[in-house]
Amino acid sequence: MTETTTRTASDSGTEVTLPVHSDLLRLATAGSVDDGKSTLVGRLLHDTKSVLADQLDAVHRASADRGLATPDLSLLVDGLRAEREQGITIDVAYRYFATPKRTFVLADTPGHVQYTRNTVTGASTAQLAVLLVDARKGVIEQTRRHAAVLALLGVPQLVLAVNKIDMVGFDEAVYTRIAAEFTEHARALGYRDDTVVTIPVSALLGDNVVERSANTPWYSGPSLLEHLESVPVAPDPHDAPFRMPVQYVIRPRTAEYPDYRGYAGQVAAGVVAEGDEVVVLPAGLRTRVSKVDSPDGARPRAAAGHSVTLLLADDVDISRGDLIAAADAPPRVTDELDATVCWLAEKPLNPGAKVLVKHGTRTVQAIVTELAARFDEQQLSSVDSPDSLQLNEIGRVRLRTAEPLPIDDYAASRRTGSFLVIDPADGTTLAAGLIGVPLAPLAAASE
Amino acid sequence: MTTVELPIDRTDVPPQVDNLDALESEAIHIFREVAGEFDRPVILFSGGKDSTVLVHLARKAFWPAPVPFPLLHVDTGHNFPEVLAFRDELVERHDLRLVVASVQDYIDDGRLQERADGTRNPLQTTPLLDGISENRFDAVFGGGRRDEERARAKERIFSLRNAFGQWDPRRQRPELWNLYNGKHRPGEHVRVFPLSNWTELDIWRYIQREKIELPEIYYSHRREVFLRDGMWLTSGPWGGPRDGEVAATKTVRYRTVGDGSCTGAVESEAYTVDDVIAEVAASRLTERGATRADDRISEAAMEDRKREGYF
């Protein structure tokens, strides 16, 4: 689906290929500290010629200042002072690069255990994750933890990059053992084999990152970039029932538009068209869509991802926080949430905690009525009724909300099945919330 | 996974929205979230291409209603006259409200001192933060993009600033799905970056598609410039050419618009948007590397300024 066009730059006479309708892949990296994620990302940017001369000069200068013989490509991405001083990644960085085949948005996430919340940040919007392991260490606890988080958040495609393959003499046996162990773990998490790819790479030297390497004649698969360019990306599902949280009521009250009253929002799932019957939740009022408006004028329909303004046939009372949904397939409306949470705060979660829940465009008060289980993502087992959930732990909770919410299961809809847990005292984001138990083995473990 | 049969035909819906449509839709979503959750938002406006695109997106987000918040311009006193004229015309044409925080006022009454190197870019932070607190702005939109610079690549779309306007990269909130957390305490504010996921090329392709007008200095023109530290600076009240610096008339354009003392021109024959797109795609230099002296101060110049409250 890619079209390209060739232009001639006026200053240099160079032929440039511009992606015109290139499609987009959102990906995240994950892996333990020192596995070489930043080096891999730096290598990917460098070898796809996505690094411009002044950035490269800066890396050469900084590497020389540190007394290094070869440029340290991790300095391309580790942008914070503390990161460069310590040689680690502290926070998620977003990178943009393009090839003639695809445009990429890459969330480069830190590996430190204390920063797992940033892996969750990167994974919540990713369509693919590249997990790194060090070939000398193989699959470790952090690899299994990250894979479980990625599976829980529903990242559809996994790549295991077995990095530093040069450090084990490009040994096929080492790679095969690690690949088999990881594939088995991914399978246990519910990944089908065709959604998991393993690749032996050397981020430092560039083997199998962009170009296939002559040092791994026993490996017949794609390079990392070839895989990223060709992996199928599932578009937002249009066959899901329509959902749109109301963000803002647009009422111009101008001479030109004295009676205009539009409900602005981004379509979260499905498709909406003029004439569709809809229900406004939580109140349950039914009406019809009289017009689908966009800043470029009325359009016959809008699909998931579009920001639009809906005009409705009846004069009903709607405000920010309401959800407009397909009348024939509405979400359930409840004040009891059964959910899985990734706890992202230093302060632990205890039963009875009073929190805020942000779901769609509605923020409501809630109380944690029950801590049902804590998952062990290493053993894919669970502990019933734990006393608390600590930083980076995943558990099953029950919440009672002050007002009913229109919800779907996370497994059916990432957008209307997710929520934030917020500290009412200082506004901190405490947890990522997922309605239901989206991960089959964890659901089974907590039955 | 539940599947539900739907009565109407869905086959004519394109399977994936175009990249620019997706970026536009995301930016509009962000504008509406802020308008829904904050009491007093403001758009930080420099007259440059990114903030002009920002204003265009804000108008789209609330159409046919007017943009429900004002613009804030931090005027360094060293602006390009073409940019000030463009700003005033834009505000007039779209019936926007403009608040100006003036660096010159701070220098005139002694609250700020002119620097030895003549650049006023670092001096913007104080009037910016004062402007935010005096007007009690609680959400401040900026045109920052993550592709601009390594420290910007770390920025969240909603970025909490403490009562001193400071950014603490170690304590950023996780940002999950497209659920933005705008909670803040009195005195704190949130910087919001709707263009986070845009690249320089996306901005130009969008300007082309939407036929957005820009200050004329973005396109090639003849101008008297002089060479300092490898950059072509315009002669002007910010000092220069100094002794030993030779002025010459060249065909140039600007890739970024900022304080005149530290924003360099590039030699270019790009007279139209199409020319600019071809030039940007072929360029071997980033826009900041090519034209911003302030980023050359140290490896972490941007991070250091952001920590102090700069954008």
Side-chain angles (χ1 to χ4, degrees):
Chain A
M1 274 217 307
T2 304
E3 288 175 43
T4 57
T5 174
T6 305
R7 284 182 198 282
T8 305
S10 54
D11 57 345
S12 56
T14 343
E15 291 272 292
V16 197
T17 306
L18 292 179
V20 175
H21 287 297
S22 153
D23 66 344
L24 180 76
L25 179 74
R26 289 178 174 271
L27 68 149
T29 60
S32 184
V33 68
D34 285 335
D35 282 345
K37 280 187 308 300
S38 296
T39 307
L40 181 71
V41 173
R43 171 61 67 187
L44 205 51
L45 296 174
H46 178 267
D47 289 3
T48 52
K49 304 196 170 37
S50 309
V51 182
L52 299 182
D54 54 317
Q55 296 169 318
L56 206 55
D57 284 350
V59 168
H60 280 278
R61 262 198 319 276
S63 302
D65 289 349
R66 288 165 168 73
L68 304 172
T70 51
D72 176 356
L73 294 179
S74 74
L75 296 174
L76 279 172
V77 293
D78 285 338
L80 301 174
R81 265 182 193 285
E83 291 178 330
R84 296 161 79 87
E85 282 159 15
Q86 297 173 43
I88 61 164
T89 307
I90 290 171
D91 203 347
V92 184
Y94 293 86
R95 306 284 155 192
Y96 305 84
F97 64 103
T99 68
K101 294 198 175 122
R102 228 172 219 176
T103 301
F104 300 94
V105 178
L106 184 153
D108 181 22
T109 74
H112 253 264
V113 175
Q114 71 196 96
Y115 299 117
T116 299
R117 62 172 178 262
N118 295 326
T119 303
V120 178
T121 292
S124 71
T125 53
Q127 297 156 313
L128 177 144
V130 180
L131 253 161
L132 268 85
V133 296
D134 183 329
R136 296 168 302 178
K137 297 179 193 155
V139 174
I140 58 171
E141 191 179 315
Q142 187 75 331
T143 319
R144 282 191 290 270
R145 172 175 298 129
H146 282 160
V149 168
L150 297 169
L152 181 74
L153 287 163
V155 177
Q157 300 276 344
L158 286 189
V159 175
L160 182 77
V162 181
N163 191 26
K164 306 190 185 183
I165 196 75
D166 55 307
M167 307 283 269
V168 296
F170 298 98
D171 185 341
E172 180 182 6
V174 171
Y175 165 74
T176 310
R177 180 176 52 74
I178 296 170
E181 187 181 348
F182 181 77
T183 307
E184 193 189 332
H185 182 63
R187 209 177 280 148
L189 290 167
Y191 280 98
R192 288 196 324 264
D193 284 2
D194 61 351
T195 57
V196 181
V197 166
T198 60
I199 306 174
V201 303
S202 168
L204 191 67
L205 305 175
D207 296 88
N208 294 325
V209 177
V210 168
E211 302 291 338
R212 288 189 213 191
S213 171
N215 293 320
T216 53
W218 40 264
Y219 172 73
S220 59
S223 73
L224 176 60
L225 183 69
E226 285 170 344
H227 179 64
L228 297 180
E229 283 182 323
S230 60
V231 66
V233 178
D236 284 334
H238 288 150
D239 55 355
F242 168 65
R243 305 280 184 261
M244 190 187 94
V246 174
Q247 283 189 285
Y248 195 77
V249 182
I250 295 185
R251 290 199 65 188
R253 286 181 262 223
T254 55
E256 204 181 340
Y257 298 97
D259 303 318
Y260 189 100
R261 191 183 177 90
Y263 304 98
Q266 189 172 33
V267 179
V271 172
V272 64
E274 200 179 300
D276 280 3
E277 198 177 338
V278 291
V279 57
V280 181
L281 299 168
L285 307 160
R286 291 167 85 95
T287 180
R288 269 182 196 285
V289 175
S290 59
K291 197 175 169 200
V292 181
D293 234 341
S294 84
D296 301 313
R299 55 200 303 168
R301 65 197 60 210
H306 289 137
S307 283
V308 291
T309 304
L310 300 185
L311 284 82
L312 301 177
D314 299 296
D315 198 10
V316 286
D317 176 25
I318 305 177
S319 55
R320 176 176 168 85
D322 288 339
L323 181 88
I324 305 179
D328 57 357
R332 60 187 189 277
V333 177
T334 174
D335 60 3
E336 293 273 341
L337 305 185
D338 235 326
T340 304
V341 294
C342 300
W343 197 252
L344 307 173
E346 310 277 343
K347 127 181 172 187
L349 169 67
N350 299 308
K354 286 189 175 138
V355 295
L356 295 173
V357 163
K358 181 170 186 179
H359 173 260
T361 52
R362 180 175 290 239
T363 304
V364 298
Q365 291 186 310
I367 183 161
V368 180
T369 51
E370 192 188 341
L371 241 176
R374 185 180 67 231
F375 295 126
D376 179 342
E377 71 280 356
Q378 301 298 319
Q379 306 301 322
L380 298 180
S381 61
S382 78
V383 178
D384 286 342
S385 308
D387 295 335
S388 66
L389 277 187
Q390 306 288 331
L391 177 66
N392 298 324
E393 289 183 337
I394 298 167
R396 191 170 147 196
V397 301
R398 185 175 276 265
L399 296 146
R400 196 173 72 240
T401 55
E403 301 161 46
L405 295 174
I407 55 167
D408 289 298
D409 279 347
Y410 186 80
S413 169
R414 240 178 172 183
R415 292 284 288 273
T416 46
S418 59
F419 62 91
L420 301 183
V421 180
I422 296 171
D423 188 333
D426 63 7
T428 309
T429 300
L430 297 171
L434 304 88
I435 313 271
V437 185
L439 197 54
L442 297 188
S446 69
E447 290 287 295
Chain B
M1 181 93 70
T2 31
T3 43
V4 178
E5 289 295 323
L6 291 168
I8 57 169
D9 178 24
R10 309 290 175 183
T11 51
D12 60 340
V13 176
Q16 187 164 17
V17 289
D18 174 79
N19 192 21
L20 285 183
D21 287 338
L23 290 169
E24 179 190 74
S25 193
E26 179 183 67
I28 288 175
H29 172 79
I30 293 163
F31 268 112
R32 290 166 169 178
E33 278 301 283
V34 170
E37 295 235 319
F38 290 82
D39 294 324
R40 296 177 66 84
V42 68
I43 299 177
L44 196 69
F45 183 77
S46 69
K49 64 181 186 314
D50 300 312
S51 54
T52 302
V53 166
L54 214 49
V55 170
H56 182 83
L57 288 162
R59 289 179 51 234
K60 281 196 149 192
F62 302 102
W63 178 90
V67 176
F69 28 77
L71 311 183
L72 171 64
H73 181 220
V74 181
D75 183 343
T76 64
H78 284 172
N79 287 293
F80 293 89
E82 297 92 332
V83 176
L84 288 183
F86 172 83
R87 176 195 77 183
D88 293 340
E89 212 236 322
L90 183 88
V91 165
E92 172 82 29
R93 185 174 355 133
H94 300 306
D95 207 13
L96 301 163
R97 284 172 292 147
L98 176 70
V99 179
V100 177
S102 161
V103 173
Q104 189 65 52
D105 287 354
Y106 278 69
I107 292 173
D108 289 348
D109 65 19
R111 282 177 290 171
L112 284 175
Q113 275 199 316
E114 196 88 76
R115 291 161 51 104
D117 62 8
T119 180
R120 287 185 173 179
N121 211 33
L123 302 183
Q124 292 181 69
T125 301
T126 304
L128 168 66
L129 295 178
D130 287 356
I132 290 170
S133 62
E134 282 161 17
N135 290 282
R136 292 178 291 115
F137 292 131
D138 53 1
V140 183
F141 291 102
R145 306 190 321 266
R146 287 166 176 158
D147 82 320
E148 284 179 80
E149 206 274 338
R150 280 182 312 236
R152 284 238 164 110
K154 301 273 172 182
E155 186 68 84
R156 299 283 198 265
I157 290 173
F158 272 43
S159 176
L160 184 68
R161 302 300 168 103
N162 67 14
F164 302 95
Q166 291 169 323
W167 181 60
D168 183 351
R170 280 181 190 243
R171 302 203 58 81
Q172 299 196 86
R173 289 173 179 166
E175 200 153 85
L176 305 157
W177 301 287
N178 67 343
L179 291 169
Y180 302 110
N181 177 359
K183 295 274 176 227
H184 60 282
R185 287 182 281 199
E188 295 177 338
H189 71 275
V190 175
R191 301 276 172 99
V192 183
F193 301 99
L195 305 180
S196 284
N197 289 322
W198 300 50
T199 65
E200 186 185 15
L201 204 51
D202 293 328
I203 292 285
W204 279 107
R205 287 179 55 214
Y206 189 71
I207 287 165
Q208 177 188 49
R209 185 180 97 172
E210 302 281 309
K211 300 184 174 60
I212 297 171
E213 277 184 49
L214 291 183
E216 58 207 56
I217 64 172
Y218 275 107
Y219 304 103
S220 289
H221 57 286
R222 301 282 286 172
R223 176 180 285 270
E224 188 183 288
V225 289
F226 63 92
L227 197 61
R228 178 181 294 167
D229 300 333
M231 280 196 319
W232 292 109
L233 297 181
T234 297
S235 312
W238 40 84
R242 295 183 197 136
D243 291 346
E245 293 172 336
V246 182
T249 301
K250 294 201 165 284
T251 303
V252 296
R253 70 173 199 91
Y254 285 84
R255 277 177 83 177
T256 65
V257 161
D259 186 60
S261 64
C262 63
T263 306
V266 291
E267 290 189 73
S268 167
E269 299 274 344
Y271 296 95
T272 65
V273 180
D274 291 359
D275 294 345
V276 170
I277 288 173
E279 184 183 281
V280 167
S283 175
R284 297 301 304 141
L285 293 177
T286 62
E287 63 182 88
R288 298 199 77 91
T291 66
R292 287 298 182 94
D294 45 333
D295 286 342
R296 298 182 177 188
I297 294 167
S298 83
E299 265 190 62
M302 174 73 87
E303 179 186 351
D304 294 346
R305 275 180 290 142
K306 281 165 68 72
R307 281 176 180 275
E308 288 165 14
Y310 182 84
F311 261 85

